[in-house]
Amino acid sequence: DTEVTQTPKHLVMGMTNKKSLKCEQHMGHRAMYWYKQKAKKPPELMFVYSYEKLSINESVPSRFSPECPNSSLLNLHLHALQPEDSALYLCASSHLTGANVLTFGAGSRLTVL
Amino acid sequence: SQQGEEDPQALSIQEGENATMNCSYKTSINNLQWYRQNSGRGLVHLILIRSNEREKHSGRLRVTLDTSKKSSSLLITASRAADTASYFCATEAQGGSEKLVFGKGTKLTVNP
């Protein structure tokens, strides 16, 4: 299995909703990432988990809450989001040995109304 | 910021022509990578070049790296309509880091 699977593909939520994005990989990668990408912009790093521990938080607002239940799963819990949080959310994973090459999922397109 | 800057921002060529994209970055790096993104989809890793390498080839891709100028170029030869996508460079800081920083990207359109 050489894939990173993200669900859902599309999500529409109101500003008072609570929802979650999910990411799964079975490549034995020990680092998992959340990136946010706005239209016509590069991906921006949000969080990194290494060996299931949060190692990087790029000063992301607390309305985004990451969780890594085990080495194969990564969640992003969403609460009280703003319309400007609408974006493509990309999950990625990588080995923690050698060069840091990322395998990306197809993304979750989030729209906040 | 370590963020790379690609140029051009957009490039439109005919099938069969070569496409060259450039990337500049600001700090010392371990390696530089190129990724491709089809519209609204995830990114796909294309090629990695280490800081002690000057040129690397993979199929129709040729990457060069000039660490003295802090710049890299990606050449796609004999382009095809299917090469239409956005291309991003990404840098890993010297000393190793989980943080991969992406440049602004080049939108390539290959016309049949």
Side-chain angles (χ1 to χ4, degrees):
Chain A
D1 189 347
T2 58
E3 287 188 345
V4 174
T5 303
Q6 288 189 243
T7 55
K9 287 186 169 34
H10 299 276
L11 178 63
V12 179
M13 60 186 291
M15 289 189 284
T16 58
N17 292 158
K18 283 186 182 181
K19 297 285 185 183
S20 297
L21 305 180
K22 297 185 182 300
C23 176
E24 190 169 1
Q25 58 88 15
H26 297 287
M27 294 177 283
H29 288 176
R30 299 312 301 271
M32 295 188 77
Y33 306 74
W34 282 114
Y35 279 84
K36 172 183 177 179
Q37 186 179 28
K38 302 281 274 184
K40 299 185 180 180
K41 296 289 187 183
E44 293 180 3
L45 183 64
M46 300 175 72
F47 303 104
V48 182
Y49 274 83
S50 300
Y51 297 102
E52 299 151 53
K53 292 196 184 326
L54 185 64
S55 57
I56 297 178
N57 176 345
E58 290 286 283
S59 302
V60 178
S62 59
R63 57 186 185 268
F64 295 92
S65 175
E67 178 195 19
C68 189
N70 60 55
S71 60
S72 299
L73 294 174
L74 184 67
N75 298 321
L76 186 63
H77 302 299
L78 314 170
H79 175 53
L81 295 192
Q82 304 297 311
E84 58 265 29
D85 296 322
S86 298
L88 182 67
Y89 288 83
L90 294 161
C91 174
S93 66
S94 71
H95 286 295
L96 280 175
T97 55
N100 195 21
V101 174
L102 302 187
T103 301
F104 280 86
S108 292
R109 173 76 59 189
L110 173 67
T111 302
V112 182
L113 301 176
Chain B
S1 168
Q2 187 185 317
Q3 189 175 49
E5 302 263 345
E6 277 99 329
D7 79 88
Q9 290 188 349
L11 179 60
S12 182
I13 60 174
Q14 296 300 121
E15 242 181 348
E17 294 180 341
N18 295 342
T20 299
M21 290 159 267
N22 303 297
C23 167
S24 60
Y25 56 92
K26 296 179 181 177
T27 62
S28 298
I29 60 171
N30 256 4
N31 64 68
L32 185 143
Q33 304 174 39
W34 286 90
Y35 288 78
R36 164 198 168 122
Q37 184 178 34
N38 286 57
S39 181
R41 304 282 295 170
L43 284 79
V44 175
H45 178 258
L46 295 176
I47 193 166
L48 176 150
I49 187 164
R50 299 182 192 281
S51 60
N52 61 353
E53 297 175 312
R54 291 296 166 259
E55 187 171 314
K56 203 160 182 182
H57 297 255
S58 176
R60 292 185 296 115
L61 305 179
R62 173 179 171 254
V63 171
T64 62
L65 180 65
D66 186 335
T67 52
S68 66
K69 295 181 180 177
K70 291 187 167 58
S71 68
S72 172
S73 68
L74 172 69
L75 168 68
I76 304 174
T77 60
S79 63
R80 305 165 182 167
D83 294 328
T84 295
S86 291
Y87 292 82
F88 295 93
C89 69
T91 50
E92 178 184 318
Q94 192 174 56
S97 171
E98 298 147 339
K99 184 173 178 176
L100 206 60
V101 178
F102 286 84
K104 293 181 179 178
T106 293
K107 174 80 172 86
L108 173 66
T109 302
V110 181
N111 300 299

